[in-house]
Amino acid sequence: MKLVLAMMKHETNTFSPIVTDWARFEAWGLYTGQAAIDAYAKTNMPLGVYLQLAREYGAEVVLPMAAEAMPGGKVTAEAYQRLTDPILAAVAAGCDGCLLDLHGAMVAEGTDDGEGTLLEKIRAIAPDLPIAVTLDLHCNLTPRMVRNCTALIGYKTYPHVDMDVVARQVGRIVMEVIAGKRQAPAMALRQLPLLSQTICQGTDDEPMKSAIAACREEEARGLPAATVFGGFAMADIEHAGASIITVGKDQAEADAAADRIAARVWDTRDIHIYRHRDLQETVAKAKQVKDGPVILLDHADNCGSGGTQDVMTVIEEVLRQGLEDVAVGAVWDPAAVQQMQKAGVGATVTLELGGKSDMPSLGLKGKPLKLTGRVRTITDGEWIVRGPMYTGYKVMMGPTAVLEVEGRMQIVVVSRHHEPWDTGVFTSVGIDPQHKRYLLLKSRIHYRAGFAPLAKATFTLDGEGVTTSDNSILKYEKLRRPIYPLDRINDWHQ
């Protein structure tokens, strides 16, 4: 048995000014062949599980591409071709099955459906090839993706701590098809006219908690797999939004389960929408909390959804109100890091920190914040994730430095974008987060993987940035309409 395994992941924010080119994939993680096996074999990511399954079945493995980039703007046409060509060539060389670790929200120059286009090309080469696909909970699922694979599944947790579980689930289904132990399953897709807001998709909270429970109930009754995708609202494409996919033993089973889950999700549509709060008032409330750590979420500038990670609005307000003992993770500003490197540890420096990025989609110009502080730490920014999400993965934040401002705030400044979902963003630079009064994180929900156990309280701070949780200020041109809440619709039928 010969298997082609591959990973191609990017969550594309079409409103982001960040260019997602080949170099951006190289900066986060791009491997081929044996190097890819070495990088992922000991991780809990889907590709790591696929490698385990291949060993269990005694299969020969071809791994032509394992690539991921931090979220940003559209993937360039050149990068997309360089990502997909090796995968297509490996399939064309002949194999018995294909196990793919994808995201589901990749938009590239030339295609708004990066994953669906790849799968369609694979199917054109090998029409009967068994194909397994894992997708992120924030996948914008398209009919093209579903038509061109054998079985498809998404994560049931946000933060995504079950990548290994769902990969094994869908991987076993397809491996049994390859081995002749199971007929190819049927799948049912339901797209809801619902533009769910990412910050409302935490699976420990409603409405996603009940949506995931509905999937687990169907699986407990014998359905091979069921997934609710919250979708990714930061993409101006036709198919952005919430959806359901079920994998059944036959079409009737898949359809019935999909209809039941879709009805439950639609009934909760109103709580998929975030309600904003005044920034000054929220910071003032956080200041009254005496016991720490207190989590402060700068969610509108979350690089994990394509944010520039250099908007200083929230940091400025926290400083203005005089909060004490604050650690910030993290601000992207390679030039500031270089300035601190040149000054050296212990030196006092004055920086125009952040604000290097304009955001034309929102009509915003970058606004640096002038700060004077002490260079506390300088590192290479490399560390291993020990928490439950991306466990075992090597993070490379690039040259990194810590600026201590007025003895009240320590700001981690990085040269590569990285969302703080693991405490390593602080411990790798000598900050112990459990002993800080406040942790200001440029994150939405993923922070929970590493920081939720530490938090005595959490405040969502509504700043500025291209990961805004207010969809009404975004200019959608391609998105299918009508869609809730941009359109006030109450009835839906597939």
Side-chain angles (χ1 to χ4, degrees):
M1 181 189 298
K2 183 179 180 181
L3 299 176
V4 171
L5 313 184
M7 183 179 89
M8 186 184 78
K9 300 172 87 164
H10 186 254
E11 185 174 80
T12 304
N13 181 332
T14 62
F15 303 99
S16 174
I18 298 169
V19 176
T20 304
D21 55 12
W22 186 251
R24 190 161 175 83
F25 283 94
E26 289 180 316
W28 178 250
L30 197 161
Y31 306 91
T32 60
Q34 187 59 46
I37 294 172
D38 294 341
Y40 289 97
K42 295 182 180 180
T43 72
N44 70 342
M45 297 172 68
L47 190 55
V49 172
Y50 290 160
L51 288 165
Q52 294 172 16
L53 282 171
R55 288 195 296 271
E56 291 170 15
Y57 278 81
E60 176 189 352
V61 167
V62 177
L63 210 169
M65 181 58 62
E68 181 172 11
M70 284 300 289
K74 285 186 179 183
V75 177
T76 64
E78 182 217 11
Y80 184 74
Q81 184 172 353
R82 292 179 70 176
L83 292 169
T84 57
D85 278 357
I87 301 172
L88 298 173
V91 172
C95 61
D96 299 297
C98 189
L99 309 182
L100 298 175
D101 178 4
L102 306 177
H103 184 284
M106 177 183 282
V107 181
E109 295 172 345
T111 175
D112 284 350
D113 183 5
E115 293 85 357
T117 297
L118 170 65
L119 288 166
E120 189 172 70
K121 290 181 177 180
I122 291 174
R123 271 280 183 255
I125 295 168
D128 300 318
L129 184 70
I131 302 172
V133 177
T134 55
L135 296 169
D136 193 282
L137 181 141
H138 303 115
C139 161
N140 288 323
L141 192 62
T142 70
R144 183 186 288 174
M145 295 182 205
V146 177
R147 284 196 306 268
N148 291 290
C149 70
T150 306
L152 180 155
I153 199 170
Y155 311 148
K156 287 186 174 68
T157 59
Y158 181 28
H160 308 322
V161 297
D162 68 333
M163 297 181 187
D164 53 340
V165 176
V166 299
R168 181 165 288 274
Q169 186 176 351
V170 76
R172 283 201 176 281
I173 291 171
V174 172
M175 291 301 291
E176 289 177 3
V177 172
I178 296 170
K181 298 179 180 179
R182 174 199 289 264
Q183 294 292 321
M187 290 191 287
L189 165 66
R190 299 293 182 267
Q191 285 187 316
L192 293 171
L194 171 61
L195 197 63
S196 174
Q197 187 45 255
T198 309
I199 201 168
C200 299
Q201 293 174 10
T203 50
D204 287 335
D205 312 323
E206 296 297 350
M208 288 300 289
K209 184 176 182 179
S210 292
I212 299 302
C215 293
R216 296 193 188 283
E217 289 167 13
E218 297 292 346
E219 291 177 345
R221 286 196 285 264
L223 192 76
T227 305
V228 169
F229 293 105
F232 187 57
M234 302 288 98
D236 182 19
I237 61 173
E238 179 184 359
H239 295 291
S243 59
I244 293 91
I245 188 73
T246 54
V247 181
K249 292 181 285 294
D250 55 50
Q251 195 63 53
E253 180 185 56
D255 282 331
D259 287 338
R260 287 190 291 268
I261 298 169
R264 288 178 63 170
V265 174
W266 183 245
D267 286 345
T268 65
R269 61 192 175 278
D270 190 54
I271 50 177
H272 279 266
I273 311 307
Y274 178 71
R275 269 65 181 178
H276 284 260
R277 305 169 180 87
D278 181 79
L279 175 60
Q280 293 184 15
E281 291 179 4
T282 308
V283 173
K285 289 178 182 178
K287 189 176 181 180
Q288 302 307 310
V289 179
K290 303 302 181 184
D291 192 17
V294 175
I295 304 291
L296 308 175
L297 297 175
D298 187 1
H299 63 98
D301 190 32
N302 167 28
C303 74
S305 293
T308 59
Q309 203 177 357
D310 69 344
V311 180
M312 303 302 289
T313 306
V314 169
I315 293 171
E316 183 176 19
E317 182 61 26
V318 168
L319 283 169
R320 190 188 70 79
Q321 293 201 31
L323 276 66
E324 300 278 351
D325 196 20
V326 183
V328 178
V331 172
W332 174 80
D333 193 334
V337 174
Q338 291 176 12
Q339 190 173 341
M340 286 189 278
Q341 286 177 320
K342 185 176 180 179
V345 172
T348 297
V349 295
T350 298
L351 304 174
E352 295 285 339
L353 186 63
K356 304 298 190 295
S357 308
D358 294 337
M359 291 163 276
S361 64
L362 300 180
L364 296 176
K365 293 284 189 181
K367 294 182 291 186
L369 181 62
K370 188 174 183 177
L371 295 172
T372 297
R374 182 171 67 94
V375 180
R376 185 180 178 93
T377 310
I378 297 173
T379 76
D380 63 6
E382 296 185 7
W383 48 277
I384 303 295
V385 176
R386 302 301 181 192
M389 181 175 158
Y390 278 70
T391 308
Y393 190 77
K394 185 177 182 179
V395 171
M396 294 174 285
M397 301 188 299
T400 297
V402 177
L403 179 70
E404 186 170 79
V405 181
E406 301 174 7
R408 298 192 287 117
M409 178 181 284
Q410 295 172 349
I411 306 173
V412 181
V413 187
V414 297
S415 298
R416 293 177 177 173
H417 294 101
H418 175 67
E419 182 179 356
W421 64 68
D422 188 86
T423 55
V425 72
F426 291 123
T427 58
S428 66
V429 294
I431 298 173
D432 187 346
Q434 66 180 327
H435 293 134
K436 302 302 290 185
R437 175 89 174 274
Y438 297 98
L439 299 173
L440 198 167
L441 307 175
K442 286 182 176 287
S443 180
R444 274 184 170 138
I445 301 292
H446 277 326
Y447 79 92
R448 295 179 182 180
F451 294 96
L454 304 181
K456 298 298 192 297
T458 301
F459 292 85
T460 302
L461 305 182
D462 297 344
E464 297 175 311
V466 294
T467 63
T468 175
S469 295
D470 184 359
N471 294 341
S472 69
I473 70 174
L474 301 174
K475 297 178 181 178
Y476 291 98
E477 297 176 352
K478 297 182 178 181
L479 179 66
R480 68 191 188 280
R481 305 293 286 266
I483 194 166
Y484 185 85
L486 302 183
D487 305 295
R488 305 301 294 183
I489 55 177
N490 295 310
D491 297 320
W492 166 76
H493 302 285
Q494 178 70 16

